[in-house]
Amino acid sequence: GITPQDRQTAGFYLQPVHNHDQSNNNAPPRITGYRAGNTVNIRVRDLDNLGAVMDGVIATGANNFNGLRFSLQDDSEALVQARERAVADAMLRATQLAEAAGLTLGAVLRMSETSHQGQPAPMGMARASFGTGEAIAGGEVDITARVEMVFSIAPGGQ
């Protein structure tokens, strides 16, 4: 039930399978077949169906599970808020430091920012079984913005 836009092949491999002749140590290994595999990323938009989706993936033959990553479908509003808070915090800290040093802040000379989606906040240990919808706890997703600001010292500062 996953739409094509929510499925993507992330990797594919094809490796030879060798047979080593135990009776003749000088014989080179012989290719007897090939082993193929692929990695597929899927997006689950309805977390209430996550357990059923995982059960379906296993039922279709998946034999390796590389984990979950929770994120927001649209993080633009959260990023705006995180950036605003990061700038306000940087300005407050710079003002406090300048005042403590007996200085006056001048203009902002340089500002840079890095943002990322964090990992979900932990919500206790999940059960190892995928058979129920309670096996995975969604928790909260953190959006982080880091701001670095460089200020001049205003004339008249000590």
Side-chain angles (χ1 to χ4, degrees):
I2 303 295
T3 64
Q5 71 195 36
D6 289 336
R7 294 187 309 248
Q8 181 179 31
T9 298
F12 180 81
Y13 70 87
L14 184 64
Q15 300 171 334
V17 175
H18 295 92
N19 182 9
H20 299 277
D21 186 353
Q22 300 296 329
S23 64
N24 184 356
N25 287 338
N26 294 330
R30 200 170 41 98
I31 296 176
T32 58
Y34 291 89
R35 179 177 294 123
N38 69 336
T39 302
V40 177
N41 291 335
I42 63 170
R43 177 179 295 135
V44 178
R45 296 176 189 270
D46 181 3
L47 290 183
D48 291 337
N49 289 330
L50 183 58
V53 169
M54 293 173 72
D55 288 341
V57 166
I58 292 167
T60 61
N63 55 13
N64 195 353
F65 181 77
N66 292 320
L68 295 172
R69 185 178 67 85
F70 292 92
S71 63
L72 298 174
Q73 289 187 42
D74 180 6
D75 65 0
S76 57
E77 184 178 326
L79 274 172
V80 167
Q81 290 177 7
R83 287 178 180 131
E84 288 172 352
R85 290 178 183 167
V87 168
D89 182 61
M91 293 186 72
L92 176 65
R93 289 173 187 242
T95 301
Q96 289 172 347
L97 291 171
E99 288 174 0
L103 302 171
T104 303
L105 285 183
V108 175
L109 299 175
R110 185 177 70 233
M111 182 169 33
S112 62
E113 178 259 343
T114 58
S115 300
H116 71 279
Q117 272 192 338
Q119 296 298 318
M123 291 191 62
M125 184 180 295
R127 292 195 305 247
S129 156
F130 292 144
T132 75
E134 300 169 11
I136 306 298
E140 295 179 351
V141 176
D142 292 330
I143 303 294
T144 302
R146 298 189 86 153
V147 175
E148 179 179 320
M149 299 176 76
V150 177
F151 294 86
S152 66
I153 301 298
Q158 305 297 329

